[in-house]
Amino acid sequence: MTARRSRILVLEPWYGGSHAAWADGLAAHSRHDITLVTLEASFWRWRMRGSALTLARLVADVAAREGPPDLVVVSDFTDLAAFAGYTRRTLAGVPIALYLHENQLVHPPSRTGEADELYATINWTSLVAADAVFCNSAFHRNALLGALPGFLGLAPDHALLDEVAGVAAKTSVLPVGFELDDLLAGGRTDGRGRGAGGKDVGSGGAAPLIVWNQRWDHDKDPEALFRVLRALARDGVAFRFALAGENRRHDPQEFDAVVQALGARVEHVGWLARPEYVDLLLRSDVVVSTARHEFFGIAAVEAMAAGVVPLLPDRLSYPELVPSVFHPACLYPARLYDHLHAVLTDLAGARTKVEGLRASMGRFAWPAVIRAYDDAFDSVIERDRRPAPDRPGS
């Protein structure tokens, strides 16, 4: 396939956090001419229900100014089927691809247990309407396709199960790209173990620093980690704790409770801008995930790229992120207390077991993944340009 420069619109209705970083990185590194069309990262439910019409208007403005694109790539918070209907004249047959950071078909219910089939249905009709579908991990693709028959089986009639095979055939994996230079090349520092108020924590005042850098949300199951941290503290194990990650919750009660319970062991609480976040990771010793749900694992990749020793569940997308040679050292099937205790009490040994892991994260840097994106986009565009086969009898 001859490499060519195409005009591509990337639509991101949730332009914030990892979604914005993905869109910006794609635009910065692609050989194609990428134009971003974005909305603010607010009101995710309304974005899924209502962003299609707003985005259609914005795309119409871009097309009027610059002409129609060769391809449109839509993020998963958009009702792609509705968007395709609104733009049937503006885009006039331009192929539309769907990029799935997440999906509501296999996302766990909210903390209240509430589930709404509307958003799963929007994902389903988007899958059918898309010319190509890209998931951010093989775990994500497999979980999505595995959930479709059960979801469609809820329909009282016209379940259209035969559509699943067509969706599977056009669904592939494009891993998230990262800007990792500052993490991979950053020098690691070993700070003196001081907690709140400058108090020394643990023997010798050099306690290992555990970092939580994920979203403050129920699907990350923070309470599972907090129970282990309380138990380690009761047993006199030396450690410090930094609580980073994005918090959009109004009532992070379990986070407030663990900060109070751990007291002087807590070194930091709250979201950090990129320079301060990088500095925190470069001086952290251990990163732990207790996630019950993870489509990719951006926080884990960033921490590993900074040289932090990871303890990750042996499930979800994590086995994809960690090369198999490091699985025994990094992935735990059960009993997090035992694994974390072993790492904290023999940090030097834990670091020896993960030598080479940090450098391996370079495979997720944008320069390493961008060709896969560009080639995949080329494939969709070229497939759309091929002449349709003659109909029988024509």
Side-chain angles (χ1 to χ4, degrees), residues 12-17 19 38-51 77 246 248:
E12 180 49 77
W14 185 266
Y15 187 67
H19 286 225
T38 66
L39 299 176
E40 303 85 353
S42 303
F43 315 113
W44 75 265
R45 292 176 178 81
W46 177 242
R47 289 293 180 265
M48 289 198 71
R49 289 181 293 177
S51 67
F77 278 6
E246 185 178 24
R248 289 179 175 268

PDB file of all heavy atoms in Angstrom, residues 12-17 19 38-51 77 246 248:
ATOM      1  N   GLU A  12     -13.772  14.223  18.927  1.00  0.00           N
ATOM      2  CA  GLU A  12     -13.672  13.835  20.332  1.00  0.00           C
ATOM      3  C   GLU A  12     -14.628  14.687  21.165  1.00  0.00           C
ATOM      4  O   GLU A  12     -14.327  15.843  21.494  1.00  0.00           O
ATOM      5  CB  GLU A  12     -12.236  14.003  20.836  1.00  0.00           C
ATOM      6  CG  GLU A  12     -12.031  13.620  22.295  1.00  0.00           C
ATOM      7  CD  GLU A  12     -12.629  12.276  22.640  1.00  0.00           C
ATOM      8  OE1 GLU A  12     -12.026  11.244  22.286  1.00  0.00           O
ATOM      9  OE2 GLU A  12     -13.718  12.252  23.253  1.00  0.00           O
ATOM     10  N   PRO A  13     -15.801  14.138  21.516  1.00  0.00           N
ATOM     11  CA  PRO A  13     -16.767  14.908  22.305  1.00  0.00           C
ATOM     12  C   PRO A  13     -16.423  14.988  23.779  1.00  0.00           C
ATOM     13  O   PRO A  13     -17.110  15.688  24.526  1.00  0.00           O
ATOM     14  CB  PRO A  13     -18.070  14.129  22.096  1.00  0.00           C
ATOM     15  CG  PRO A  13     -17.633  12.736  21.857  1.00  0.00           C
ATOM     16  CD  PRO A  13     -16.336  12.823  21.115  1.00  0.00           C
ATOM     17  N   TRP A  14     -15.385  14.250  24.208  1.00  0.00           N
ATOM     18  CA  TRP A  14     -14.939  14.302  25.602  1.00  0.00           C
ATOM     19  C   TRP A  14     -13.464  14.693  25.581  1.00  0.00           C
ATOM     20  O   TRP A  14     -12.569  13.896  25.816  1.00  0.00           O
ATOM     21  CB  TRP A  14     -15.155  12.948  26.283  1.00  0.00           C
ATOM     22  CG  TRP A  14     -14.834  12.939  27.741  1.00  0.00           C
ATOM     23  CD1 TRP A  14     -13.661  12.595  28.324  1.00  0.00           C
ATOM     24  CD2 TRP A  14     -15.707  13.302  28.816  1.00  0.00           C
ATOM     25  NE1 TRP A  14     -13.736  12.723  29.702  1.00  0.00           N
ATOM     26  CE2 TRP A  14     -14.987  13.151  30.025  1.00  0.00           C
ATOM     27  CE3 TRP A  14     -17.036  13.743  28.870  1.00  0.00           C
ATOM     28  CZ2 TRP A  14     -15.549  13.414  31.277  1.00  0.00           C
ATOM     29  CZ3 TRP A  14     -17.599  14.008  30.107  1.00  0.00           C
ATOM     30  CH2 TRP A  14     -16.863  13.847  31.290  1.00  0.00           C
ATOM     31  N   TYR A  15     -13.217  15.968  25.268  1.00  0.00           N
ATOM     32  CA  TYR A  15     -11.848  16.439  25.071  1.00  0.00           C
ATOM     33  C   TYR A  15     -11.252  16.848  26.409  1.00  0.00           C
ATOM     34  O   TYR A  15     -11.222  18.022  26.784  1.00  0.00           O
ATOM     35  CB  TYR A  15     -11.835  17.601  24.076  1.00  0.00           C
ATOM     36  CG  TYR A  15     -10.447  18.049  23.669  1.00  0.00           C
ATOM     37  CD1 TYR A  15      -9.628  17.217  22.925  1.00  0.00           C
ATOM     38  CD2 TYR A  15      -9.984  19.310  24.026  1.00  0.00           C
ATOM     39  CE1 TYR A  15      -8.362  17.630  22.552  1.00  0.00           C
ATOM     40  CE2 TYR A  15      -8.715  19.736  23.655  1.00  0.00           C
ATOM     41  CZ  TYR A  15      -7.910  18.884  22.922  1.00  0.00           C
ATOM     42  OH  TYR A  15      -6.644  19.299  22.555  1.00  0.00           O
ATOM     43  N   GLY A  16     -10.800  15.846  27.135  1.00  0.00           N
ATOM     44  CA  GLY A  16     -10.176  16.066  28.426  1.00  0.00           C
ATOM     45  C   GLY A  16      -9.431  14.815  28.829  1.00  0.00           C
ATOM     46  O   GLY A  16      -9.679  13.722  28.317  1.00  0.00           O
ATOM     47  N   GLY A  17      -8.489  14.951  29.750  1.00  0.00           N
ATOM     48  CA  GLY A  17      -7.770  13.803  30.273  1.00  0.00           C
ATOM     49  C   GLY A  17      -7.127  12.957  29.199  1.00  0.00           C
ATOM     50  O   GLY A  17      -6.525  13.457  28.243  1.00  0.00           O
ATOM     51  N   HIS A  19      -8.483  11.161  26.868  1.00  0.00           N
ATOM     52  CA  HIS A  19      -9.078  11.305  25.535  1.00  0.00           C
ATOM     53  C   HIS A  19      -8.416  12.458  24.773  1.00  0.00           C
ATOM     54  O   HIS A  19      -8.105  12.340  23.581  1.00  0.00           O
ATOM     55  CB  HIS A  19     -10.585  11.554  25.642  1.00  0.00           C
ATOM     56  CG  HIS A  19     -11.371  10.348  26.008  1.00  0.00           C
ATOM     57  ND1 HIS A  19     -12.550  10.003  25.375  1.00  0.00           N
ATOM     58  CD2 HIS A  19     -11.173   9.391  26.948  1.00  0.00           C
ATOM     59  CE1 HIS A  19     -13.039   8.897  25.908  1.00  0.00           C
ATOM     60  NE2 HIS A  19     -12.222   8.515  26.869  1.00  0.00           N
ATOM     61  N   THR A  38     -13.763  19.028  18.581  1.00  0.00           N
ATOM     62  CA  THR A  38     -13.894  18.607  19.977  1.00  0.00           C
ATOM     63  C   THR A  38     -15.002  19.353  20.722  1.00  0.00           C
ATOM     64  O   THR A  38     -15.421  20.442  20.326  1.00  0.00           O
ATOM     65  CB  THR A  38     -12.570  18.836  20.733  1.00  0.00           C
ATOM     66  OG1 THR A  38     -12.314  20.245  20.814  1.00  0.00           O
ATOM     67  CG2 THR A  38     -11.406  18.156  20.028  1.00  0.00           C
ATOM     68  N   LEU A  39     -15.445  18.727  21.819  1.00  0.00           N
ATOM     69  CA  LEU A  39     -16.340  19.339  22.788  1.00  0.00           C
ATOM     70  C   LEU A  39     -15.729  19.185  24.172  1.00  0.00           C
ATOM     71  O   LEU A  39     -14.838  18.361  24.388  1.00  0.00           O
ATOM     72  CB  LEU A  39     -17.723  18.678  22.750  1.00  0.00           C
ATOM     73  CG  LEU A  39     -18.489  18.752  21.429  1.00  0.00           C
ATOM     74  CD1 LEU A  39     -19.798  17.965  21.535  1.00  0.00           C
ATOM     75  CD2 LEU A  39     -18.770  20.188  21.034  1.00  0.00           C
ATOM     76  N   GLU A  40     -16.217  19.967  25.121  1.00  0.00           N
ATOM     77  CA  GLU A  40     -15.664  19.961  26.461  1.00  0.00           C
ATOM     78  C   GLU A  40     -15.915  18.611  27.148  1.00  0.00           C
ATOM     79  O   GLU A  40     -16.903  17.929  26.870  1.00  0.00           O
ATOM     80  CB  GLU A  40     -16.298  21.067  27.312  1.00  0.00           C
ATOM     81  CG  GLU A  40     -16.159  22.464  26.733  1.00  0.00           C
ATOM     82  CD  GLU A  40     -17.258  22.800  25.733  1.00  0.00           C
ATOM     83  OE1 GLU A  40     -18.066  21.902  25.391  1.00  0.00           O
ATOM     84  OE2 GLU A  40     -17.295  23.963  25.281  1.00  0.00           O
ATOM     85  N   ALA A  41     -15.034  18.247  28.061  1.00  0.00           N
ATOM     86  CA  ALA A  41     -15.155  16.985  28.802  1.00  0.00           C
ATOM     87  C   ALA A  41     -16.106  17.175  29.985  1.00  0.00           C
ATOM     88  O   ALA A  41     -15.702  17.229  31.144  1.00  0.00           O
ATOM     89  CB  ALA A  41     -13.783  16.529  29.285  1.00  0.00           C
ATOM     90  N   SER A  42     -17.380  17.255  29.667  1.00  0.00           N
ATOM     91  CA  SER A  42     -18.419  17.449  30.684  1.00  0.00           C
ATOM     92  C   SER A  42     -19.669  16.672  30.290  1.00  0.00           C
ATOM     93  O   SER A  42     -19.920  16.455  29.100  1.00  0.00           O
ATOM     94  CB  SER A  42     -18.787  18.933  30.820  1.00  0.00           C
ATOM     95  OG  SER A  42     -17.666  19.733  31.118  1.00  0.00           O
ATOM     96  N   PHE A  43     -20.428  16.225  31.307  1.00  0.00           N
ATOM     97  CA  PHE A  43     -21.752  15.636  31.085  1.00  0.00           C
ATOM     98  C   PHE A  43     -21.688  14.450  30.110  1.00  0.00           C
ATOM     99  O   PHE A  43     -22.282  14.472  29.038  1.00  0.00           O
ATOM    100  CB  PHE A  43     -22.737  16.689  30.555  1.00  0.00           C
ATOM    101  CG  PHE A  43     -22.701  17.998  31.278  1.00  0.00           C
ATOM    102  CD1 PHE A  43     -22.257  19.146  30.645  1.00  0.00           C
ATOM    103  CD2 PHE A  43     -23.074  18.085  32.611  1.00  0.00           C
ATOM    104  CE1 PHE A  43     -22.208  20.364  31.300  1.00  0.00           C
ATOM    105  CE2 PHE A  43     -23.032  19.300  33.282  1.00  0.00           C
ATOM    106  CZ  PHE A  43     -22.599  20.441  32.626  1.00  0.00           C
ATOM    107  N   TRP A  44     -20.985  13.377  30.508  1.00  0.00           N
ATOM    108  CA  TRP A  44     -20.732  12.289  29.560  1.00  0.00           C
ATOM    109  C   TRP A  44     -22.030  11.669  29.048  1.00  0.00           C
ATOM    110  O   TRP A  44     -22.104  11.271  27.875  1.00  0.00           O
ATOM    111  CB  TRP A  44     -19.823  11.226  30.178  1.00  0.00           C
ATOM    112  CG  TRP A  44     -20.450  10.311  31.185  1.00  0.00           C
ATOM    113  CD1 TRP A  44     -20.442  10.443  32.525  1.00  0.00           C
ATOM    114  CD2 TRP A  44     -21.163   9.100  30.907  1.00  0.00           C
ATOM    115  NE1 TRP A  44     -21.111   9.394  33.119  1.00  0.00           N
ATOM    116  CE2 TRP A  44     -21.561   8.549  32.147  1.00  0.00           C
ATOM    117  CE3 TRP A  44     -21.514   8.421  29.733  1.00  0.00           C
ATOM    118  CZ2 TRP A  44     -22.288   7.368  32.255  1.00  0.00           C
ATOM    119  CZ3 TRP A  44     -22.239   7.235  29.827  1.00  0.00           C
ATOM    120  CH2 TRP A  44     -22.626   6.719  31.079  1.00  0.00           C
ATOM    121  N   ARG A  45     -23.039  11.580  29.891  1.00  0.00           N
ATOM    122  CA  ARG A  45     -24.304  10.996  29.422  1.00  0.00           C
ATOM    123  C   ARG A  45     -24.920  11.848  28.309  1.00  0.00           C
ATOM    124  O   ARG A  45     -25.425  11.325  27.304  1.00  0.00           O
ATOM    125  CB  ARG A  45     -25.289  10.834  30.579  1.00  0.00           C
ATOM    126  CG  ARG A  45     -24.878   9.777  31.596  1.00  0.00           C
ATOM    127  CD  ARG A  45     -25.837   9.731  32.762  1.00  0.00           C
ATOM    128  NE  ARG A  45     -25.497   8.698  33.722  1.00  0.00           N
ATOM    129  CZ  ARG A  45     -24.570   8.815  34.666  1.00  0.00           C
ATOM    130  NH1 ARG A  45     -23.897   9.956  34.794  1.00  0.00           N
ATOM    131  NH2 ARG A  45     -24.315   7.816  35.481  1.00  0.00           N
ATOM    132  N   TRP A  46     -24.872  13.158  28.489  1.00  0.00           N
ATOM    133  CA  TRP A  46     -25.407  14.027  27.452  1.00  0.00           C
ATOM    134  C   TRP A  46     -24.540  13.992  26.203  1.00  0.00           C
ATOM    135  O   TRP A  46     -25.046  14.099  25.079  1.00  0.00           O
ATOM    136  CB  TRP A  46     -25.559  15.455  27.973  1.00  0.00           C
ATOM    137  CG  TRP A  46     -26.053  16.406  26.916  1.00  0.00           C
ATOM    138  CD1 TRP A  46     -25.417  17.487  26.422  1.00  0.00           C
ATOM    139  CD2 TRP A  46     -27.299  16.326  26.216  1.00  0.00           C
ATOM    140  NE1 TRP A  46     -26.160  18.109  25.445  1.00  0.00           N
ATOM    141  CE2 TRP A  46     -27.328  17.409  25.297  1.00  0.00           C
ATOM    142  CE3 TRP A  46     -28.384  15.448  26.258  1.00  0.00           C
ATOM    143  CZ2 TRP A  46     -28.401  17.640  24.445  1.00  0.00           C
ATOM    144  CZ3 TRP A  46     -29.451  15.670  25.405  1.00  0.00           C
ATOM    145  CH2 TRP A  46     -29.449  16.756  24.513  1.00  0.00           C
ATOM    146  N   ARG A  47     -23.237  13.824  26.381  1.00  0.00           N
ATOM    147  CA  ARG A  47     -22.380  13.702  25.203  1.00  0.00           C
ATOM    148  C   ARG A  47     -22.803  12.498  24.371  1.00  0.00           C
ATOM    149  O   ARG A  47     -22.869  12.564  23.153  1.00  0.00           O
ATOM    150  CB  ARG A  47     -20.910  13.555  25.623  1.00  0.00           C
ATOM    151  CG  ARG A  47     -20.306  14.827  26.205  1.00  0.00           C
ATOM    152  CD  ARG A  47     -20.187  15.919  25.150  1.00  0.00           C
ATOM    153  NE  ARG A  47     -19.602  17.135  25.715  1.00  0.00           N
ATOM    154  CZ  ARG A  47     -20.312  18.162  26.170  1.00  0.00           C
ATOM    155  NH1 ARG A  47     -21.644  18.123  26.133  1.00  0.00           N
ATOM    156  NH2 ARG A  47     -19.719  19.230  26.650  1.00  0.00           N
ATOM    157  N   MET A  48     -23.091  11.369  25.007  1.00  0.00           N
ATOM    158  CA  MET A  48     -23.490  10.186  24.263  1.00  0.00           C
ATOM    159  C   MET A  48     -24.844  10.365  23.607  1.00  0.00           C
ATOM    160  O   MET A  48     -25.078   9.905  22.491  1.00  0.00           O
ATOM    161  CB  MET A  48     -23.512   8.959  25.181  1.00  0.00           C
ATOM    162  CG  MET A  48     -22.126   8.487  25.597  1.00  0.00           C
ATOM    163  SD  MET A  48     -22.108   6.796  26.228  1.00  0.00           S
ATOM    164  CE  MET A  48     -22.414   5.859  24.723  1.00  0.00           C
ATOM    165  N   ARG A  49     -25.754  11.070  24.280  1.00  0.00           N
ATOM    166  CA  ARG A  49     -27.094  11.239  23.728  1.00  0.00           C
ATOM    167  C   ARG A  49     -27.179  12.380  22.730  1.00  0.00           C
ATOM    168  O   ARG A  49     -27.951  12.312  21.770  1.00  0.00           O
ATOM    169  CB  ARG A  49     -28.096  11.487  24.864  1.00  0.00           C
ATOM    170  CG  ARG A  49     -28.372  10.274  25.716  1.00  0.00           C
ATOM    171  CD  ARG A  49     -29.379  10.571  26.799  1.00  0.00           C
ATOM    172  NE  ARG A  49     -28.852  11.521  27.787  1.00  0.00           N
ATOM    173  CZ  ARG A  49     -29.546  11.996  28.812  1.00  0.00           C
ATOM    174  NH1 ARG A  49     -30.814  11.648  28.969  1.00  0.00           N
ATOM    175  NH2 ARG A  49     -28.995  12.827  29.666  1.00  0.00           N
ATOM    176  N   GLY A  50     -26.406  13.441  22.963  1.00  0.00           N
ATOM    177  CA  GLY A  50     -26.660  14.657  22.195  1.00  0.00           C
ATOM    178  C   GLY A  50     -25.519  15.242  21.404  1.00  0.00           C
ATOM    179  O   GLY A  50     -25.718  16.212  20.670  1.00  0.00           O
ATOM    180  N   SER A  51     -24.303  14.678  21.519  1.00  0.00           N
ATOM    181  CA  SER A  51     -23.173  15.323  20.847  1.00  0.00           C
ATOM    182  C   SER A  51     -23.200  15.148  19.332  1.00  0.00           C
ATOM    183  O   SER A  51     -22.579  15.928  18.604  1.00  0.00           O
ATOM    184  CB  SER A  51     -21.849  14.789  21.390  1.00  0.00           C
ATOM    185  OG  SER A  51     -21.673  13.421  21.048  1.00  0.00           O
ATOM    186  N   PHE A  77     -17.848   8.368  22.752  1.00  0.00           N
ATOM    187  CA  PHE A  77     -18.913   9.117  23.410  1.00  0.00           C
ATOM    188  C   PHE A  77     -19.854   9.771  22.399  1.00  0.00           C
ATOM    189  O   PHE A  77     -20.632  10.655  22.762  1.00  0.00           O
ATOM    190  CB  PHE A  77     -18.327  10.184  24.337  1.00  0.00           C
ATOM    191  CG  PHE A  77     -17.908   9.647  25.683  1.00  0.00           C
ATOM    192  CD1 PHE A  77     -17.935   8.299  25.961  1.00  0.00           C
ATOM    193  CD2 PHE A  77     -17.485  10.498  26.683  1.00  0.00           C
ATOM    194  CE1 PHE A  77     -17.550   7.799  27.190  1.00  0.00           C
ATOM    195  CE2 PHE A  77     -17.097  10.021  27.928  1.00  0.00           C
ATOM    196  CZ  PHE A  77     -17.132   8.668  28.178  1.00  0.00           C
ATOM    197  N   GLU A 246      -7.274  11.634  38.703  1.00  0.00           N
ATOM    198  CA  GLU A 246      -8.351  12.614  38.512  1.00  0.00           C
ATOM    199  C   GLU A 246      -9.548  12.273  39.378  1.00  0.00           C
ATOM    200  O   GLU A 246      -9.985  11.125  39.442  1.00  0.00           O
ATOM    201  CB  GLU A 246      -8.766  12.630  37.034  1.00  0.00           C
ATOM    202  CG  GLU A 246      -9.790  13.692  36.693  1.00  0.00           C
ATOM    203  CD  GLU A 246     -10.145  13.707  35.219  1.00  0.00           C
ATOM    204  OE1 GLU A 246      -9.984  12.662  34.559  1.00  0.00           O
ATOM    205  OE2 GLU A 246     -10.584  14.761  34.726  1.00  0.00           O
ATOM    206  N   ARG A 248     -13.461  13.406  39.873  1.00  0.00           N
ATOM    207  CA  ARG A 248     -14.647  14.169  39.474  1.00  0.00           C
ATOM    208  C   ARG A 248     -15.826  13.899  40.408  1.00  0.00           C
ATOM    209  O   ARG A 248     -16.943  14.304  40.132  1.00  0.00           O
ATOM    210  CB  ARG A 248     -15.038  13.821  38.029  1.00  0.00           C
ATOM    211  CG  ARG A 248     -14.068  14.369  36.979  1.00  0.00           C
ATOM    212  CD  ARG A 248     -14.493  13.985  35.572  1.00  0.00           C
ATOM    213  NE  ARG A 248     -13.639  14.611  34.571  1.00  0.00           N
ATOM    214  CZ  ARG A 248     -13.881  15.778  34.001  1.00  0.00           C
ATOM    215  NH1 ARG A 248     -14.967  16.466  34.316  1.00  0.00           N
ATOM    216  NH2 ARG A 248     -13.063  16.285  33.099  1.00  0.00           N
TER     217      ARG A 248
END
